[in-house]
Amino acid sequence: AGRTKSTTGIAEQVKKGLKADFKGITIRNDSDIGEMAAILRNPLTENLGVFFFKGQEVVGHMVYTSGLPGAVGVSEVMLKDIEAEIVKLGADGVAYAHNHPSGNPRASTEDRNITEKLSKFHGKKFRGHAITDDKQFNFLTTGMSHQVDSNYHDFAVPLEKFAQRGKGSPIDTPD
């Protein structure tokens, strides 16, 4: 597992519009997914973002939160809702992301177990699971065996400026 620097410009695109609507954005690599996740990051509560794709294009996204600094669980009801959204959007891929309010994007045992569960549930549609803070993210992927691999990335431009906008979500999410 190595560390790479993200060179995407998604944060700058969103900053200009002051609205986090990623629909229509082309995803080139896991750094793009990590940057979208960091934009939705709330420094006070743990949020779980779900991104839906057709090919490399984002066709939808949603955010779950417990409203607490602790973990956002992935329940069977949530997975059924996400699968229904995949069908509704005609998506052929899905990626997950969540933040650690502690600021440490290191994957816990629970994060690895959830990534494995999501990989098994979605099969070939599963694109990965990003864990973010404002300077870097950890991207978890799985292969055919569903064994979790972890790769750290530094953002080209630290995203802390988004997290400093106030107590709520750093950017308004679409309705």
Side-chain angles (χ1 to χ4, degrees):
R3 180 172 282 191
T4 60
K5 188 163 278 239
S6 168
T7 58
T8 89
I10 292 173
E12 291 305 315
Q13 290 176 39
V14 171
K15 183 181 174 196
K16 288 177 186 173
L18 295 179
K19 184 174 183 180
D21 186 355
F22 304 114
K23 287 182 237 162
I25 290 177
T26 299
I27 300 302
R28 299 166 302 188
N29 52 44
D30 54 3
S31 291
D32 288 344
I33 296 169
E35 190 166 337
M36 289 188 308
I39 291 167
L40 297 177
R41 177 184 177 270
N42 185 319
L44 302 177
T45 62
E46 190 166 305
N47 295 327
L48 176 70
V50 186
F51 303 96
F52 303 96
F53 308 94
K54 276 188 188 175
Q56 296 302 107
E57 183 179 329
V58 177
V59 294
H61 55 91
M62 52 197 334
V63 178
Y64 292 90
T65 185
S66 65
L68 302 170
V72 174
V74 178
S75 69
E76 295 304 317
V77 171
M78 184 186 292
L79 288 175
K80 286 179 184 176
D81 288 345
I82 291 166
E83 189 61 32
E85 193 71 11
I86 289 170
V87 171
K88 179 179 133 187
L89 295 170
D92 58 19
V94 62
Y96 289 79
H98 79 279
N99 62 296
H100 284 172
S102 68
N104 181 353
R106 183 173 164 262
S108 66
T109 300
E110 183 178 358
D111 293 333
R112 289 177 170 280
N113 291 341
I114 287 173
T115 301
E116 184 178 334
K117 176 181 178 178
L118 295 171
S119 173
K120 287 178 179 176
F121 182 81
H122 292 296
K124 292 180 181 180
K125 292 180 184 174
F126 183 70
R127 302 264 180 104
H129 177 190
I131 303 170
T132 66
D133 71 5
D134 61 347
K135 293 179 182 61
Q136 62 180 316
F137 70 97
N138 186 0
F139 198 74
L140 307 177
T141 55
T142 60
M144 294 300 288
S145 68
H146 304 288
Q147 184 175 355
V148 177
D149 186 30
S150 174
N151 293 289
Y152 283 87
H153 302 265
D154 293 320
F155 293 114
V157 176
L159 300 174
E160 69 248 339
K161 61 186 162 209
F162 292 106
Q164 292 172 355
R165 299 186 100 188
K167 288 186 175 184
S169 179
I171 302 288
D172 295 333
T173 54
D175 299 337

